[in-house]
Amino acid sequence: MCSIIGIIGKNFVAPALVESLKRMEYRGYDSVGVATLSTNRISVRKGIGKVNQVNSNLNLAEMEGLVGIGHTRWATHGGVTDYNAHPHPCCSGDIAVVHNGIIENYLQLKEELVSKGHLFRSETDTEVIAHLLEDQYNASRDIKVAMMGTVNQLEGSYAFVAMFANGTLACARLDEPLVIGISDNAYYASSDVLGFLQYTDQAMFLDNRDIAIMDITGTCIFNFGGESVTRSVTKVAWELADANKGEFAHYTIKEIFEQRISIKAATYQEEHKIKAFCDAIVAAGKIVVTGSGTSYHTSLITSMLGARVMKKRFEPVMASEFKYNMDSVDKDTVVIAISQSGETADVLSATKLARAAGAKILSIVNVPTSSLARTADVSLGINSGPEIGVAATKSFTGQVSLAYAIVDRLSGGKVGFERDVVSDKITKMLGGSAGIERLVNMTMPKVNDIYLLGRSIHFPIALEGALKMKELAYVHAEGIAAGELKHGPLALMDKNAVVFVLNADDKTYSDTLSSAHEVKARGAKIIGISNVSNDIYDAMIEIPKMDNELLYPLVEIIPLQLFSYYLALHNNADPDFPRNLAKSVTVS
Ligand code: M6R
């Protein structure tokens, strides 16, 4: 997803702009650009490609100026071209803009601006902001008035930073994150604290409908109506800045291995917060659990755990489907929103709708400073540290571990999640990574289709394993509730299919074994993931016996994550930054 950085400093800002863009690379992008102000003129350099590549082609870091803006673009409106990359200048070149989000009414605004003589150079929705600002600024010669006049015409969701040729940076946000960083030598405006955390831990989180105007003497904040507002300065955790690969070849494999620790970190919670979270669940008449992608799979597991252990109805709803399925959401409802980033547009929109219907919002997030964490009634962090790989790995097991801790607290320990015991079992599973790599090389040469079968608590893991294989290795993979095989998917089974069977020795065991026989009879290769061996498996990945069958997800997902990672390498895919995907999906 797009990243924004703006800096006003006492030294040339271009090297820091480029560094900041690199630190936010994990968000996903296709083009890069920087604009700086030097001798009252704005220069823009931009192009498609990765930050290092565009920097070495265009010498971004060598641009002169004490004020600048930078951007990595993830295309939404207009193709991936140099022209469509940000920053976008206005006609005179005296204002340049970087933007994240979508301007829904840009076609209408563009038509009006063109009829006034503005010349557009890109196909983006963003460029209307630069021309609107120019129009407003030419009329008023006042940046605050120009900003208010502009935001009041924009529809959609956005965060943008505009650089003016007089050395001012002005920014605004509506439903997209924007944070101001403050150090002794500079002011920063960024879509992500990682954009400036290497320089300062002092941050001011702008609220929706805030405008900030910054020069080297300070920052003034207003609402869209022009009234002054105060936003407190927060100290953000330095450990967030700890984003490097260490001894590992990729962030993804590093993060897979970090799960030994991160599943434990997820369960350390402040007493008053976890109490408030649990009290709200107990008091609720109805509980809806929502999330997207991997976090939706955690929602499925959380709902199963809640219903089984607490004998209470938990309803999982995909965040993108929430708006179509909220007739029963009311003031008696608690919505548990789960998200690694806390910035996923579908999740934020679900919670906004739920709140408007009177529901209470609880959240489980990894990024403690995110919009979801800050807007929920109670928010619990999973404490996983930065997850840079686009594919969610440690955030998933962190979310699931926290769900166990919550359900255990609510039920007097009925799941029996003991973090040290589970961490040891995960460590053992990780120790088998070389075997999984060999399995990829043995199994995969001729395979186009992978299926994963599981029942009950294993079904969300079948879905999550399939998601990992799709996004990391670009292989068609499908998670199937094993009992559904004969209702359709059996037609696809033949000798070209590889079928993972999630078959722990629990109450699903014999039914799932029958499913395995059904696919084996059609010639498919079977990889069993189980704690008991069986001749039917062409290969088997052994998992440890768990004391409670509800705990199997945490050990079953590890080999599937490893398999997906090695399959990505086998397929020459970049496991950290899969094509077409962004880490933080801030558009619906
Ligand atoms: O940040 P979130 O947990 O809200 O993100 C939700 C999904 O976009 C995310 O889980 C996505 O599916 C991952 N790429 C999965 O690996």
mmCIF file of all heavy atoms in Angstrom, residues 275-303:
data_model
loop_
_atom_site.group_PDB
_atom_site.id
_atom_site.type_symbol
_atom_site.label_atom_id
_atom_site.label_comp_id
_atom_site.label_asym_id
_atom_site.label_seq_id
_atom_site.Cartn_x
_atom_site.Cartn_y
_atom_site.Cartn_z
ATOM 1 N N LYS A 275 -8.995 -7.669 31.520
ATOM 2 C CA LYS A 275 -10.221 -7.794 32.323
ATOM 3 C C LYS A 275 -11.359 -7.076 31.603
ATOM 4 O O LYS A 275 -12.460 -7.619 31.440
ATOM 5 C CB LYS A 275 -9.985 -7.203 33.720
ATOM 6 C CG LYS A 275 -11.217 -7.266 34.595
ATOM 7 C CD LYS A 275 -10.945 -6.831 36.018
ATOM 8 C CE LYS A 275 -12.166 -7.003 36.907
ATOM 9 N NZ LYS A 275 -13.414 -6.493 36.384
ATOM 10 N N ALA A 276 -11.093 -5.861 31.154
ATOM 11 C CA ALA A 276 -12.145 -5.096 30.465
ATOM 12 C C ALA A 276 -12.602 -5.839 29.206
ATOM 13 O O ALA A 276 -13.796 -5.876 28.873
ATOM 14 C CB ALA A 276 -11.626 -3.710 30.114
ATOM 15 N N PHE A 277 -11.649 -6.437 28.502
ATOM 16 C CA PHE A 277 -11.950 -7.177 27.269
ATOM 17 C C PHE A 277 -12.881 -8.357 27.592
ATOM 18 O O PHE A 277 -13.918 -8.552 26.967
ATOM 19 C CB PHE A 277 -10.622 -7.679 26.688
ATOM 20 C CG PHE A 277 -10.666 -8.113 25.254
ATOM 21 C CD1 PHE A 277 -10.196 -7.275 24.252
ATOM 22 C CD2 PHE A 277 -11.139 -9.364 24.897
ATOM 23 C CE1 PHE A 277 -10.199 -7.678 22.922
ATOM 24 C CE2 PHE A 277 -11.153 -9.778 23.579
ATOM 25 C CZ PHE A 277 -10.677 -8.931 22.582
ATOM 26 N N CYS A 278 -12.485 -9.120 28.618
ATOM 27 C CA CYS A 278 -13.257 -10.323 28.971
ATOM 28 C C CYS A 278 -14.623 -9.940 29.557
ATOM 29 O O CYS A 278 -15.630 -10.589 29.258
ATOM 30 C CB CYS A 278 -12.466 -11.186 29.954
ATOM 31 S SG CYS A 278 -11.031 -11.932 29.178
ATOM 32 N N ASP A 279 -14.649 -8.886 30.367
ATOM 33 C CA ASP A 279 -15.929 -8.463 30.946
ATOM 34 C C ASP A 279 -16.917 -8.106 29.836
ATOM 35 O O ASP A 279 -18.113 -8.415 29.927
ATOM 36 C CB ASP A 279 -15.739 -7.232 31.854
ATOM 37 C CG ASP A 279 -15.043 -7.601 33.170
ATOM 38 O OD1 ASP A 279 -14.875 -8.811 33.426
ATOM 39 O OD2 ASP A 279 -14.656 -6.679 33.909
ATOM 40 N N ALA A 280 -16.416 -7.457 28.803
ATOM 41 C CA ALA A 280 -17.311 -7.058 27.702
ATOM 42 C C ALA A 280 -17.873 -8.295 26.996
ATOM 43 O O ALA A 280 -19.048 -8.326 26.606
ATOM 44 C CB ALA A 280 -16.550 -6.178 26.717
ATOM 45 N N ILE A 281 -17.056 -9.327 26.871
ATOM 46 C CA ILE A 281 -17.537 -10.559 26.219
ATOM 47 C C ILE A 281 -18.627 -11.208 27.072
ATOM 48 O O ILE A 281 -19.671 -11.635 26.578
ATOM 49 C CB ILE A 281 -16.367 -11.538 25.957
ATOM 50 C CG1 ILE A 281 -15.426 -10.935 24.917
ATOM 51 C CG2 ILE A 281 -16.864 -12.907 25.521
ATOM 52 C CD1 ILE A 281 -14.180 -11.751 24.650
ATOM 53 N N VAL A 282 -18.354 -11.250 28.370
ATOM 54 C CA VAL A 282 -19.323 -11.892 29.274
ATOM 55 C C VAL A 282 -20.660 -11.136 29.245
ATOM 56 O O VAL A 282 -21.732 -11.733 29.202
ATOM 57 C CB VAL A 282 -18.754 -11.943 30.716
ATOM 58 C CG1 VAL A 282 -19.811 -12.399 31.714
ATOM 59 C CG2 VAL A 282 -17.543 -12.871 30.764
ATOM 60 N N ALA A 283 -20.576 -9.813 29.193
ATOM 61 C CA ALA A 283 -21.802 -9.015 29.261
ATOM 62 C C ALA A 283 -22.577 -9.010 27.943
ATOM 63 O O ALA A 283 -23.762 -8.662 27.916
ATOM 64 C CB ALA A 283 -21.440 -7.576 29.647
ATOM 65 N N ALA A 284 -21.918 -9.400 26.846
ATOM 66 C CA ALA A 284 -22.548 -9.250 25.526
ATOM 67 C C ALA A 284 -23.647 -10.279 25.300
ATOM 68 O O ALA A 284 -23.530 -11.434 25.724
ATOM 69 C CB ALA A 284 -21.493 -9.404 24.445
ATOM 70 N N GLY A 285 -24.688 -9.856 24.590
ATOM 71 C CA GLY A 285 -25.723 -10.800 24.200
ATOM 72 C C GLY A 285 -25.270 -11.581 22.977
ATOM 73 O O GLY A 285 -25.644 -12.734 22.770
ATOM 74 N N LYS A 286 -24.461 -10.946 22.169
ATOM 75 C CA LYS A 286 -24.058 -11.552 20.895
ATOM 76 C C LYS A 286 -22.612 -11.145 20.602
ATOM 77 O O LYS A 286 -22.237 -10.005 20.853
ATOM 78 C CB LYS A 286 -24.969 -10.955 19.830
ATOM 79 C CG LYS A 286 -24.944 -11.589 18.515
ATOM 80 C CD LYS A 286 -26.077 -11.101 17.602
ATOM 81 C CE LYS A 286 -27.039 -10.168 18.130
ATOM 82 N NZ LYS A 286 -27.502 -9.025 17.932
ATOM 83 N N ILE A 287 -21.832 -12.069 20.072
ATOM 84 C CA ILE A 287 -20.442 -11.731 19.775
ATOM 85 C C ILE A 287 -20.148 -12.014 18.305
ATOM 86 O O ILE A 287 -20.369 -13.133 17.822
ATOM 87 C CB ILE A 287 -19.478 -12.542 20.664
ATOM 88 C CG1 ILE A 287 -19.723 -12.128 22.128
ATOM 89 C CG2 ILE A 287 -18.029 -12.273 20.315
ATOM 90 C CD1 ILE A 287 -19.612 -13.243 23.073
ATOM 91 N N VAL A 288 -19.686 -10.994 17.618
ATOM 92 C CA VAL A 288 -19.313 -11.152 16.210
ATOM 93 C C VAL A 288 -17.800 -10.973 16.143
ATOM 94 O O VAL A 288 -17.252 -10.041 16.742
ATOM 95 C CB VAL A 288 -20.010 -10.077 15.337
ATOM 96 C CG1 VAL A 288 -19.547 -10.179 13.894
ATOM 97 C CG2 VAL A 288 -21.521 -10.222 15.432
ATOM 98 N N VAL A 289 -17.133 -11.882 15.426
ATOM 99 C CA VAL A 289 -15.676 -11.791 15.309
ATOM 100 C C VAL A 289 -15.346 -11.541 13.847
ATOM 101 O O VAL A 289 -15.816 -12.273 12.965
ATOM 102 C CB VAL A 289 -14.982 -13.084 15.800
ATOM 103 C CG1 VAL A 289 -13.485 -12.838 15.993
ATOM 104 C CG2 VAL A 289 -15.595 -13.585 17.100
ATOM 105 N N THR A 290 -14.564 -10.502 13.588
ATOM 106 C CA THR A 290 -14.324 -10.144 12.192
ATOM 107 C C THR A 290 -12.852 -9.888 11.910
ATOM 108 O O THR A 290 -12.070 -9.569 12.818
ATOM 109 C CB THR A 290 -15.197 -8.924 11.797
ATOM 110 O OG1 THR A 290 -15.187 -8.791 10.378
ATOM 111 C CG2 THR A 290 -14.707 -7.624 12.430
ATOM 112 N N GLY A 291 -12.474 -10.012 10.655
ATOM 113 C CA GLY A 291 -11.099 -9.773 10.215
ATOM 114 C C GLY A 291 -11.035 -10.081 8.720
ATOM 115 O O GLY A 291 -12.024 -10.530 8.122
ATOM 116 N N SER A 292 -9.879 -9.852 8.127
ATOM 117 C CA SER A 292 -9.688 -10.134 6.701
ATOM 118 C C SER A 292 -8.541 -11.113 6.525
ATOM 119 O O SER A 292 -7.596 -11.091 7.320
ATOM 120 C CB SER A 292 -9.327 -8.856 5.942
ATOM 121 O OG SER A 292 -10.342 -7.917 6.032
ATOM 122 N N GLY A 293 -8.581 -11.885 5.462
ATOM 123 C CA GLY A 293 -7.466 -12.774 5.127
ATOM 124 C C GLY A 293 -7.112 -13.664 6.301
ATOM 125 O O GLY A 293 -7.963 -14.332 6.906
ATOM 126 N N THR A 294 -5.830 -13.642 6.640
ATOM 127 C CA THR A 294 -5.361 -14.460 7.749
ATOM 128 C C THR A 294 -6.095 -14.116 9.042
ATOM 129 O O THR A 294 -6.439 -14.997 9.839
ATOM 130 C CB THR A 294 -3.842 -14.243 7.918
ATOM 131 O OG1 THR A 294 -3.200 -14.842 6.805
ATOM 132 C CG2 THR A 294 -3.309 -14.860 9.190
ATOM 133 N N SER A 295 -6.329 -12.841 9.261
ATOM 134 C CA SER A 295 -7.001 -12.441 10.507
ATOM 135 C C SER A 295 -8.446 -12.948 10.527
ATOM 136 O O SER A 295 -9.020 -13.148 11.604
ATOM 137 C CB SER A 295 -6.965 -10.923 10.674
ATOM 138 O OG SER A 295 -5.628 -10.495 10.771
ATOM 139 N N TYR A 296 -9.015 -13.171 9.359
ATOM 140 C CA TYR A 296 -10.339 -13.805 9.325
ATOM 141 C C TYR A 296 -10.217 -15.268 9.760
ATOM 142 O O TYR A 296 -11.081 -15.792 10.468
ATOM 143 C CB TYR A 296 -10.958 -13.703 7.923
ATOM 144 C CG TYR A 296 -12.221 -14.523 7.798
ATOM 145 C CD1 TYR A 296 -13.362 -14.194 8.545
ATOM 146 C CD2 TYR A 296 -12.275 -15.650 6.976
ATOM 147 C CE1 TYR A 296 -14.510 -14.965 8.469
ATOM 148 C CE2 TYR A 296 -13.420 -16.418 6.890
ATOM 149 C CZ TYR A 296 -14.539 -16.074 7.643
ATOM 150 O OH TYR A 296 -15.678 -16.842 7.572
ATOM 151 N N HIS A 297 -9.130 -15.910 9.356
ATOM 152 C CA HIS A 297 -8.953 -17.307 9.793
ATOM 153 C C HIS A 297 -8.827 -17.371 11.320
ATOM 154 O O HIS A 297 -9.319 -18.301 11.956
ATOM 155 C CB HIS A 297 -7.736 -17.943 9.100
ATOM 156 C CG HIS A 297 -7.889 -17.960 7.609
ATOM 157 N ND1 HIS A 297 -6.840 -17.907 6.744
ATOM 158 C CD2 HIS A 297 -9.019 -17.984 6.841
ATOM 159 C CE1 HIS A 297 -7.298 -17.926 5.500
ATOM 160 N NE2 HIS A 297 -8.609 -17.963 5.537
ATOM 161 N N THR A 298 -8.159 -16.359 11.897
ATOM 162 C CA THR A 298 -8.133 -16.304 13.373
ATOM 163 C C THR A 298 -9.544 -16.089 13.913
ATOM 164 O O THR A 298 -9.906 -16.637 14.964
ATOM 165 C CB THR A 298 -7.239 -15.146 13.865
ATOM 166 O OG1 THR A 298 -5.991 -15.236 13.209
ATOM 167 C CG2 THR A 298 -7.051 -15.197 15.369
ATOM 168 N N SER A 299 -10.342 -15.304 13.204
ATOM 169 C CA SER A 299 -11.729 -15.082 13.653
ATOM 170 C C SER A 299 -12.503 -16.403 13.686
ATOM 171 O O SER A 299 -13.304 -16.648 14.596
ATOM 172 C CB SER A 299 -12.462 -14.115 12.719
ATOM 173 O OG SER A 299 -11.743 -12.937 12.581
ATOM 174 N N LEU A 300 -12.240 -17.269 12.690
ATOM 175 C CA LEU A 300 -12.916 -18.579 12.675
ATOM 176 C C LEU A 300 -12.498 -19.397 13.897
ATOM 177 O O LEU A 300 -13.336 -20.001 14.583
ATOM 178 C CB LEU A 300 -12.550 -19.357 11.407
ATOM 179 C CG LEU A 300 -13.089 -18.821 10.079
ATOM 180 C CD1 LEU A 300 -12.501 -19.625 8.919
ATOM 181 C CD2 LEU A 300 -14.612 -18.914 10.047
ATOM 182 N N ILE A 301 -11.193 -19.412 14.158
ATOM 183 C CA ILE A 301 -10.705 -20.200 15.304
ATOM 184 C C ILE A 301 -11.261 -19.620 16.609
ATOM 185 O O ILE A 301 -11.747 -20.352 17.479
ATOM 186 C CB ILE A 301 -9.157 -20.218 15.326
ATOM 187 C CG1 ILE A 301 -8.649 -21.015 14.114
ATOM 188 C CG2 ILE A 301 -8.618 -20.808 16.628
ATOM 189 C CD1 ILE A 301 -7.149 -21.033 13.946
ATOM 190 N N THR A 302 -11.213 -18.298 16.737
ATOM 191 C CA THR A 302 -11.696 -17.649 17.961
ATOM 192 C C THR A 302 -13.167 -17.970 18.193
ATOM 193 O O THR A 302 -13.591 -18.254 19.322
ATOM 194 C CB THR A 302 -11.493 -16.116 17.853
ATOM 195 O OG1 THR A 302 -10.130 -15.874 17.530
ATOM 196 C CG2 THR A 302 -11.849 -15.397 19.144
ATOM 197 N N SER A 303 -13.937 -17.946 17.113
ATOM 198 C CA SER A 303 -15.371 -18.225 17.257
ATOM 199 C C SER A 303 -15.601 -19.664 17.699
ATOM 200 O O SER A 303 -16.444 -19.944 18.550
ATOM 201 C CB SER A 303 -16.095 -17.969 15.938
ATOM 202 O OG SER A 303 -15.900 -16.640 15.565
#
